[in-house]
Structure formats: C-alpha cells, structure tokens
Amino acid sequence: MTDMEQLYNERLGRYLTAMRNEKPDKIPIRPFVAEFTARYAGFTCQEVTHDFDKAFEAARKCAADFDWDAVVANMVYVWTGLTQAIGIKYYGTPGIDIPPDIGFQYREPNEENAFMKADEYDELIDDPTAFLYSKWLPRASTDICAIGEPATYRNNLALVKGGMAMLNYFTAFGPQCDALRTESGTVSAIAGIFKAPFDIIGDKLRGYIGLTMDMIEQPEKVLAACEALMPHLYKVALSTADANKQVPIAFWMHRGCMPFVSEGQFDSHYWPTLKPIIEELWRNGHQTLFYAEGDWKHHLHSFTELPDQSIVYHVDKGDIFETHKILGHKFCLSGGIPNMLLSYHPPDDVRTSVRKSLTVSHKTVDTSWMPVRSCKMIHALRT
Amino acid sequence: MDASAIMQNDTRIENLRALTDFTREYGVYSSGVSHPVASNPDITPSQDTVFRSDYGMSENPNMKVKPGVCTPWEIKLEDFPKITGDKDLAQRIWEDVDALGNMFIWQCLLSF
C-alpha cells in the first residue's frame, strides 16, 4: 500500500467514524470550499464556473495543499457551460451576466413569470416527469420550444448539446475522485443529490411568493404535489448515492424553515413529505447530509424523529451548541464556524471561534466529532 | 469541522489555514479510534433496527408513470405491430435508455 493510499484510508476511516456519531482519533476536517478554491488557485469565478476542468484543478490543488480529510469534488457545482447549452435562464453566469469575480447567482423569476402556473398543479401531480419536459423546461430555457410550437434549430441543438454536456460533466467526476484519492489522499465527501419536495416547488416551479400564495389558497394541491414528487426525488437520490454506502447523500435545505414557512406549514407539508424519504434512504443503507441553510432551530425536535445515525446535520445560521444539545446524541454534526469570521476577521478570531466550538461542546456533552474529556485541546486552553 | 456555509472567494486563505491547523492541533481524541475501513466499510442501519409497516415510503400511492421512466414500455410497445425476436431484450434496452432521458430532466431540476 502506498503512503497516499494509507493516508486516504486513515481519513476515510476517521470521516466514517465521525459520521456514525462515534469518536474518531481526530476531528475530521471536511470544508465545503466553493469559489474559495478559485481564489486559492489563482482563477476567477468565471473560470471555475464556466470551465469545470479548472474547477476540478482548483479543488485538487486545495486538497493537496491543506490537510483536509474530505472535500467535495467540485463545490462550484453548477457548470454554466451546461446550463448555457440548454439555455437555462435562471443563472447569472460570472463574466457574462455578472462580474467575473462574483460567484454564479440564482435568479428567481417574478410571480408572473414563474415556471409553473397556479392552475397547473393537477398536471404536475398527474405525471411530474412529463410536466417537467412539457412545461417547466421550455419556460426555464431560452432555446427549448413549448409543446405545440414549431421546433427550431436551437431547440434541437439545446436538447442534444445539453444531454451530451451532462454526460461529459458527470463522467468527469469519477476520474476527479480518483485523482483526489491518489494525488492527496483526500476523500470525496458526498455523493448524490436530494432536495425536499416542498423546496422544489418553491425553488424551481412556483417561486417562493407563488408557493406562499398557494399555501393560503390551495394548500391541498401543494400537499398533493409534494406527495407526487416524493417517489421521483427519492429515486434520484437513491440512484445517485454512493454505491459503497459510505459517504452521505447531499440534501440542500432551502426555504422549508421558519420564517419562510409557518410552524404549521412545516408540520403539514414540509416534514411529512420529507421524513419518509429519509427513512427509506436509511432503510437502504444511505445516510443523508442535512445541509441546513438558514436557521432551523424551530424544527430540530422534528429531526429527532429520524433513526439514530441516519443523517449528518450541518449547522449554518443555527446555534451549534443548542443544536448539539438536541441532536448530538443521535447524529453527527458539522459546520458552525461563521463565514463572516473567515472572510473579514483576523486569524486569531477564527482560532477563538474554533476553540469555543470545541470547548463548549466539551462542557455540554460527551459525544463524537467535537473533542471530549481527554482532548489535547483542553490542555492547550489551560496553558 | 467546517464553516457554516459554503466558502466562496471572500474567504481569506490565512483564515481557512488557521481553522485547519487549529483543528488539527487540538481536535484530537486521545481515546478515540477510527474504524478501519476494510473491517467496517459502510454506514447502514443496525441489524436490530425494526422498520414499522408504515416506515418510509411504503404508503405512497400508485403513480401513473413510475419514477425513472419517461415513456413506459407498454406505451412504446404500441408502436410495434409485432416483435419477432427477443421481447425481453427489446424491453430492457428501451427502459435502460429511457431512464437516461428521465435522469436528464430530473438532474436539470435538482442539480442545475
């Protein structure tokens, strides 16, 4: 076994042990570095967003230069060469729509131009896949024609180029993960893609404002649509998950928490159409990484309904210590070091934050991933 | 160990270096043990896990078109007056390729 392979195995073992909510030898470091990789490697945001070879190169350079256990193979995930080929209109592409040193942006259409209309729930519920091809894609694309319109050269090209570009992009991830392993002994941190049914309706179909109105005017249709989406979203998550059942499926959580929704709406719509999917994935041996964007403090007790170890919970705006009190006995936690510190404060402030994170955890509970009783860090704090 | 949110190009290199180095130096469990990968390769429910009858998606209603499918074989079959050869082969290949079309649109929706 090479030294690099040995390093990889040590890191993988550490990462898996922590995600089981058990105590590894060290706290694994798994930073979700997106456009940071461009800054470090000397690229613009345009370069890493529009040329995925450069994004991959930047990710590998960071992995080689920092002592990290696991990284995402490409956290600047949206390759705008692909979205451009399809004519996807909801992205602001660096260097084209926005300045080259700004990360790509999602531009939600206004209510009148939502990609799904308020009276189209029955059509979505009847056959979600057909709805996506027939209604959603033509509206979300500048090039793809609506059903019934005369086909165009650009329409045909968009579909062919989009399919080929997706194949090209996804096929490149295997060699990228292999390179991370062999060049720097770094684990590919996640696999697969999942989003909650409720979020899909808000993010990509009705828009947030449209969905909010629908929750008042036709909540039963929203619920039926969420239920109709469930098996499809589950299928995508399962089919894109890690075949070795090691690293978790990434679940990007958007606007299902208060104050975007009321507590009642979370209980009636968001959670009942999410929980069964997570349970089913776990039944099939797959953990899910809850990347809890925003502050989900009002809903943490709902998450305790999930089986032990079935998820890894990532804290964004929430209080990681309060989160740890509620979820720490069941799940591995990650996150919690404020990005503001990392961007605008001196390194000593970062060290203080990391130290506080480790120390408070030590004082409150004895569980995995944060240091506990005999942690070397404690000695350092006394000196 | 990780930041709260994904780290973009406003993240200072020296700060991420500080996070990394501090965690490496002090985030050590003297009593911790990482499972060897070879002996414990995956993360799955423990063997004594009891799955309720209503656990997961068992209660999900029947669907007109199944997940992973765009055009069901039964619909495509209507295009053919008669299949003279191996019907199972024809069905399998149709469904395998049809699934790629399904993957494309759901990936567009979810990943892009």
Side-chain angles (χ1 to χ4, degrees), chain A residues 283-304:
Chain A
R283 196 214 303 258
N284 283 279
H286 294 285
Q287 270 190 320
T288 304
L289 168 63
F290 275 41
Y291 201 83
E293 297 179 60
D295 187 353
W296 292 72
K297 64 185 176 189
H298 297 291
H299 313 293
L300 296 179
H301 286 287
S302 294
F303 301 149
T304 64

Side-chain angles (χ1 to χ4, degrees), chain B residues 10-105:
Chain B
D10 57 351
T11 304
R12 293 171 60 181
I13 294 168
E14 62 270 32
N15 281 351
L16 192 46
R17 183 82 68 190
L19 179 151
T20 303
D21 293 345
F22 193 91
T23 305
R24 269 292 176 257
E25 186 170 2
Y26 299 116
V28 178
Y29 297 98
S30 59
S31 60
V33 178
S34 296
H35 294 291
V37 174
S39 66
N40 207 353
D42 55 13
I43 302 172
T44 54
S46 61
Q47 291 186 340
D48 58 353
T49 301
V50 176
F51 296 108
R52 307 179 310 272
S53 60
D54 63 345
Y55 186 95
M57 296 178 60
S58 56
E59 298 299 307
N60 201 60
N62 292 329
M63 293 152 285
K64 178 180 172 184
V65 178
K66 293 179 181 177
V69 176
C70 292
T71 304
W73 171 245
E74 294 73 26
I75 301 297
K76 181 61 184 174
L77 198 54
E78 295 172 2
D79 291 352
F80 307 125
K82 183 181 180 182
I83 292 181
T84 57
D86 187 333
K87 186 177 177 182
D88 290 341
L89 172 66
Q91 178 175 351
R92 178 171 59 81
I93 297 301
W94 171 261
E95 291 177 343
D96 285 351
V97 179
D98 184 73
L100 299 176
N102 185 278
M103 188 267 298
F104 174 81
I105 194 66

Side-chain angles (χ1 to χ4, degrees), chain A residues 2-12 14 60 63-64 66-71 177-188:
Chain A
T2 64
D3 290 346
M4 201 59 78
E5 187 66 9
Q6 185 175 349
L7 178 62
Y8 175 86
N9 284 332
E10 285 175 11
R11 287 171 166 171
L12 180 59
R14 180 178 303 138
R60 292 197 306 273
F66 288 82
D67 184 9
W68 296 335
D69 295 289
V71 297
C177 294
D178 288 343
L180 285 168
R181 177 174 183 159
T182 56
E183 292 174 9
S184 62
T186 310
V187 177
S188 178

Side-chain angles (χ1 to χ4, degrees), chain A residues 17 20 22 25 27-28 30 34 67-69 91 101 126 133 195 204 246 314 337 339 345 369-370 374, chain B residues 1-2 4-7 9 12 15 20 24 26-27 29-30 34-35 41-42 45 57 64 101 109-110 112:
Chain A
T17 301
R20 288 188 176 93
E22 297 172 5
D25 60 337
I27 294 174
R30 184 227 57 194
D67 184 9
W68 296 335
D69 295 289
Y91 282 116
D101 263 325
D126 183 57
Y133 267 117
K195 288 176 184 167
K204 294 290 181 69
Q246 293 179 329
H314 183 89
I337 305 300
N339 289 68
H345 286 241
W369 113 250
M370 289 183 180
S374 55
Chain B
M1 179 57 68
D2 193 2
S4 294
I6 61 168
M7 283 173 267
N9 60 336
R12 293 171 60 181
N15 281 351
T20 303
R24 269 292 176 257
Y26 299 116
Y29 297 98
S30 59
S34 296
H35 294 291
D42 55 13
M57 296 178 60
K64 178 180 172 184
L109 183 76
L110 282 161
F112 300 103

Side-chain angles (χ1 to χ4, degrees), chain A residues 24-81:
Chain A
D25 60 337
K26 302 174 185 174
I27 294 174
I29 304 173
R30 184 227 57 194
F32 276 10
V33 280
E35 284 83 358
F36 170 83
T37 62
R39 177 174 183 166
Y40 184 77
F43 294 129
T44 64
C45 289
Q46 179 182 9
E47 286 177 302
V48 295
T49 311
H50 216 53
D51 180 348
F52 72 77
D53 283 331
K54 289 186 175 175
F56 283 13
E57 180 186 337
R60 292 197 306 273
K61 179 170 177 54
C62 288
D65 290 358
F66 288 82
D67 184 9
W68 296 335
D69 295 289
V71 297
V72 179
N74 179 21
M75 196 63 245
V76 190
Y77 191 77
V78 173
W79 173 37
T80 48

